[in-house]
Amino acid sequence: QVQLVESGGGLVQAGGSLRLSCSASVRMSSFITMGWYRQVPGMQRELVASIRSSSGRTNVINYADSVKGRFTISRDNALNTVYLQMNSLKPEDTAVYYCNAGRLTPGPPYWGQGTQVTVSS
C-alpha cells in the first residue's frame, strides 16, 4: 500500500521559512507527478507546486502564482522524498499542506495526511 507521510509543518512568524518533506513508501518512479496542495477551512484544496520528470533528467515544475519566487519544490529520488521550501512566508500561507502523487496507471492520486502550517503576523 502506498503511503505518503508529510512532516515539517509548524508555527512561524511572517517572513520566516519552513521546509516540508513528503516521504513515499515506494519509489517515486511509480508516480507521474508529485506535488503539494493546501487547504483552508471552507475553501477548495489548491495546487501549490508540482514536479515531474521529463526525458529522464529534466524536472517540469509548476507553481501557483501566489507562491512564485518564495517557494521551491524539489525531489530526492534516492530518498523517495519531495520537499517544499517555503521562504518569506505570509499569514495567507496558513493552511493544511498535503502531499500528492499522481499514478502512472489510471486511478485517483495518492494523498498524505496533511501537515499544518501557521504563519503569524
Side-chain angles (χ1 to χ4, degrees), residues 12-15 37-41 43-44 46-48 64-67 70-71 86-97 116-121:
V12 65
Q13 288 188 332
Y37 286 70
R38 66 187 181 188
Q39 188 172 26
V40 298
M43 302 292 287
Q44 286 190 333
E46 63 173 3
L47 174 68
V48 177
D65 288 343
S66 58
V67 306
R70 300 188 298 121
F71 291 11
M86 305 186 294
N87 299 328
S88 302
L89 282 161
K90 304 175 181 180
E92 51 264 42
D93 294 319
T94 296
V96 178
Y97 284 70
Q116 177 71 46
V117 171
T118 303
V119 184
S120 63
S121 57

Side-chain angles (χ1 to χ4, degrees), residues 2 4 22 24 26-37 47 49-54 58-62 73-75 77 80-83 98-105 107-112:
V2 174
L4 302 175
C22 171
V26 298
R27 294 175 63 178
M28 288 199 297
S29 57
S30 304
F31 311 125
I32 189 169
T33 63
M34 295 197 73
W36 289 94
Y37 286 70
L47 174 68
S50 66
I51 185 170
R52 67 176 174 88
S53 293
S54 176
T58 305
N59 287 319
V60 178
I61 294 175
N62 290 298
I73 188 171
S74 61
R75 59 194 291 167
N77 292 334
N80 296 321
T81 300
V82 174
Y83 304 98
Y98 295 91
C99 182
N100 168 282
R103 301 176 189 234
L104 282 170
T105 55
Y110 299 104
W111 292 96

